[in-house]
Amino acid sequence: DAGVIQSPRHEVTEMGQEVTLRCKPISGHNSLFWYRQTMMRGLELLIYFNNNVPIDDSGMPEDRFSAKMPNASFSTLKIQPSEPRDSAVYFCASSFTSYEQYFGPGTRLTVT
Amino acid sequence: AQRVTQPEKLLSVFKGAPVELKCNYSYSGSPELFWYVQYSRQRLQLLLRHISRESIKGFTADLNKGETSFHLKKPFAQEEDSAMYYCALSEGGNTPLVFGKGTRLSVIA
C-alpha cells in the first residue's frame, strides 16, 4: 500500500495563479483531513470530510480556498488566486477510526 | 478553546541520557492525546496514543488530567530517536487533530 498520495510534491507559482493540490486517501478510509504547516502557526486544520461530506471548513482562511471530495478516493484543495502568504506545506491525512490518522508526504507550495 | 503547548522548540541530549518532551493541553472535556513523530525525509506518523497505554520504541507517555499534561519520556535516548515530535489532541471519533508546534529532538553521540 502506497499510503496517502499527494501531488504535486512541490509547486512553485506566481501570485495570482490558481493552484490545485490533490490527495488520494488510503482505500477504505472514510475521513479525510487537509492541514497546513507554516513556521509561524505550525500544523493547522483547513477542512475535513467524513464519507465525502465536508464537516468543518472553519480553518479555511479565505474564500480563495476551496476543497472538494467528489468520491471516496480523491480530494482537491484549490487556491484561487494564490498569494505569497499561502506559501506553506499542505498535508492530507486519512483515517478509518479515531485511533490514527495517516499522513501523506505533503505538498510544498511556494508563491512568488 | 483547544490548545496544545510544547514549550521546547529544540531539545538536545546525549545518547543514553533520559529524554522528556513536554506537552500541556487545554480542553474542556476528555480529549484523546497523541504523540506523532516525523523522522528526516519521512511522513508524519503516529508514535503513541494515551488510550493504548503502550510503549513504542521505548517511549511512554502518561496522561495527567490534573496537570493537563502528556509528557513523552524515554529512559535512554538513541541516535535514531532524533526527529520532530508533535503532541496532538482530538475530541475523539474521526475528528481533526490539534497540534502543538513541535519539538525537535537531537540525540548526540
Side-chain angles (χ1 to χ4, degrees):
Chain A
D1 186 357
V4 175
I5 299 172
Q6 290 186 248
S7 64
R9 295 291 307 278
H10 301 274
E11 177 79 33
V12 180
T13 190
E14 291 184 349
M15 181 175 64
Q17 297 298 306
E18 177 180 296
V19 175
T20 299
L21 311 182
R22 297 173 176 79
C23 175
K24 177 178 169 54
I26 293 173
S27 177
H29 284 190
N30 60 351
S31 293
L32 184 140
F33 307 84
W34 282 101
Y35 295 94
R36 180 171 68 172
Q37 184 177 43
T38 61
M39 290 293 291
M40 289 297 294
R41 301 176 68 89
L43 267 162
E44 295 180 301
L45 178 77
L46 295 175
I47 185 172
Y48 82 102
F49 298 82
N50 277 347
N51 298 313
N52 312 337
V53 176
I55 303 301
D56 182 358
D57 66 353
S58 60
M60 298 283 262
E62 299 170 31
D63 291 344
R64 299 184 295 106
F65 285 69
S66 62
K68 295 182 180 180
M69 192 164 186
N71 56 62
S73 59
F74 185 64
S75 176
T76 59
L77 177 67
K78 186 175 293 186
I79 308 172
Q80 166 64 20
S82 58
E83 297 183 2
R85 58 186 166 140
D86 301 331
S87 297
V89 181
Y90 291 80
F91 289 100
C92 175
S94 70
S95 68
F96 178 67
T97 70
S98 64
Y99 289 154
E100 181 171 2
Q101 290 184 18
Y102 293 80
F103 283 77
T107 295
R108 183 174 296 276
L109 173 65
T110 303
V111 183
T112 61
Chain B
Q2 304 172 22
R3 183 178 299 167
V4 177
T5 303
Q6 294 180 251
E8 303 135 330
K9 287 188 177 180
L10 173 64
L11 183 64
S12 296
V13 301
F14 286 102
K15 177 182 174 181
V19 174
E20 182 178 47
L21 301 173
K22 291 184 168 52
C23 172
N24 289 90
Y25 66 91
S26 62
Y27 182 78
S28 54
S30 296
E32 293 187 14
L33 274 295
F34 306 84
W35 278 98
Y36 277 76
V37 61
Q38 188 169 27
Y39 300 102
S40 179
R41 302 183 186 282
Q42 294 189 27
R43 304 180 182 207
L44 193 61
Q45 58 187 282
L46 178 68
L47 179 62
L48 54 79
R49 47 189 174 248
H50 88 273
I51 56 174
S52 299
R53 293 184 166 274
E54 56 198 346
S55 174
I56 303 293
K57 299 184 178 182
F59 284 98
T60 58
D62 291 322
L63 179 60
N64 185 323
K65 293 185 178 180
E67 296 183 358
T68 59
S69 68
F70 188 56
H71 303 327
L72 183 68
K73 299 177 183 179
K74 184 170 182 176
F76 307 104
Q78 302 299 315
E79 289 179 74
E80 55 265 31
D81 297 328
S82 295
M84 196 73 181
Y85 291 81
Y86 295 92
C87 183
L89 68 77
S90 78
E91 296 177 0
N94 260 349
T95 56
L97 294 166
V98 175
F99 286 92
K101 292 198 173 180
T103 297
R104 181 170 297 283
L105 175 64
S106 176
V107 181
I108 306 164

